[in-house]
Amino acid sequence: MNNRFNHGIVLLCILFQSCSMCSQHHVNTSVVADSLEEIQAKVNREVWSSLPDVGYPVTPDTIPEQLLERYCYTVSYNANTRQPNWVMWQLTEDHVMPKKDGVWNEYREDEDLPSEIRATLDDYASSGYDRGHMCPGGDCNWDDEGRDETFVLSNMCPQNPNLNRGDWKEIEMACRKWAKQYGNIYIVCGPIFLKSQQHERIGPNQIPVPEAFFKVVLCSESSTPKGIGFICRNTDGNRKKDFYVNSIRQVERVTGYQFFPNLDDSIKNIVYDMVDINIW
């Protein structure tokens, strides 16, 4: 990350020197200002793409996994289900903002994946299920390209419309509130497939429908670290958020994933068994 940042600084210094030399020839300063903004935005993009200090979830060896690193989030992609195992992102106070006017996004296949292992729009068409975002576009409104990346199908799962537009959305909104309140949180979510159940399937590629979804949230940088987990059945429902609450440790047991592997044990011992949403 430091090399990328230093590279960006060098670019800025070169441009400043060019501006100084060009000013003697009456350069259009508005063009120079635009160029500076573009370069600084590129530098900021490269710096943000670093691995969160808490670490990506550890996925069992028995589960297919391909890591796809986007700008706003990272996906553990499963070629068998054509869905994510999990999606992880970091949400800060500065990144919570409304969608910009004029920004329009389109659902699409993930062309970074071979066609034989990716979901298609036809898989979801007339299925009765929403293309349910794991990392929501609303958490990436701070960067137009980053928000657009949330609309690829590798960030989607078949989700009951009432869950997607109801209780799941309310949990997403709660996360944004917590990011504004505490400054920085880490979020991991994904589908749950029950081994004892024959999955419903949709579309030409016979995409399996998850029986449930999980989400874990960590606030490790406040004076009082906090953690919380949620498990939501992929069905109709209109309940309070505390109905879905589980501890992070409980979600680990259900999913088989190890969350936040780089987190210091002293913080894990505080946050992993928390189940009181009222402290958030």
Side-chain angles (χ1 to χ4, degrees), residues 213-224:
F213 294 91
F214 74 88
K215 180 167 287 188
V216 294
V217 186
L218 170 69
C219 174
S220 61
E221 299 178 11
S222 68
S223 56
T224 307

Side-chain angles (χ1 to χ4, degrees), residues 70-219:
R70 311 301 188 193
Y71 182 50
C72 290
Y73 63 93
T74 295
V75 176
S76 164
Y77 186 74
N78 188 319
N80 290 349
T81 65
R82 303 190 188 216
Q83 296 170 62
N85 296 313
W86 50 259
V87 180
M88 180 177 182
W89 65 102
Q90 184 179 1
L91 188 59
T92 71
E93 178 183 8
D94 292 339
H95 289 159
V96 179
M97 59 180 63
K99 181 182 176 182
K100 297 177 184 176
D101 292 338
V103 174
W104 181 79
N105 306 102
E106 184 177 4
Y107 292 95
R108 63 193 187 279
E109 296 180 26
D110 190 339
E111 295 185 352
D112 289 337
L113 296 167
S115 59
E116 61 269 19
I117 65 169
R118 69 190 188 215
T120 68
L121 295 174
D122 285 344
D123 289 321
Y124 286 86
S126 303
S127 68
Y129 288 92
D130 280 1
R131 294 160 293 198
H133 282 76
M134 293 297 96
C135 177
D139 283 8
C140 301
N141 285 333
W142 51 277
D143 185 271
D144 292 349
E145 291 181 49
R147 177 185 168 87
D148 193 55
E149 286 177 337
T150 68
F151 281 80
V152 293
L153 293 183
S154 58
N155 181 45
M156 309 282 172
C157 297
Q159 199 165 43
N160 184 290
N162 288 318
L163 175 63
N164 182 37
R165 306 170 200 181
D167 294 349
W168 189 255
K169 181 178 180 180
E170 289 182 12
I171 294 172
E172 291 173 345
M173 293 171 64
C175 289
R176 290 175 201 136
K177 182 187 76 172
W178 296 334
K180 291 180 69 173
Q181 185 173 351
Y182 299 112
N184 181 43
I185 61 174
Y186 296 97
I187 305 169
V188 187
C189 73
I192 296 174
F193 295 95
L194 299 179
K195 295 179 181 179
S196 60
Q197 197 160 326
Q198 183 148 5
H199 315 303
E200 180 183 352
R201 293 180 179 270
I202 61 171
N205 289 307
Q206 290 294 283
I207 304 292
V209 177
E211 282 74 48
F213 294 91
F214 74 88
K215 180 167 287 188
V216 294
V217 186
L218 170 69
C219 174

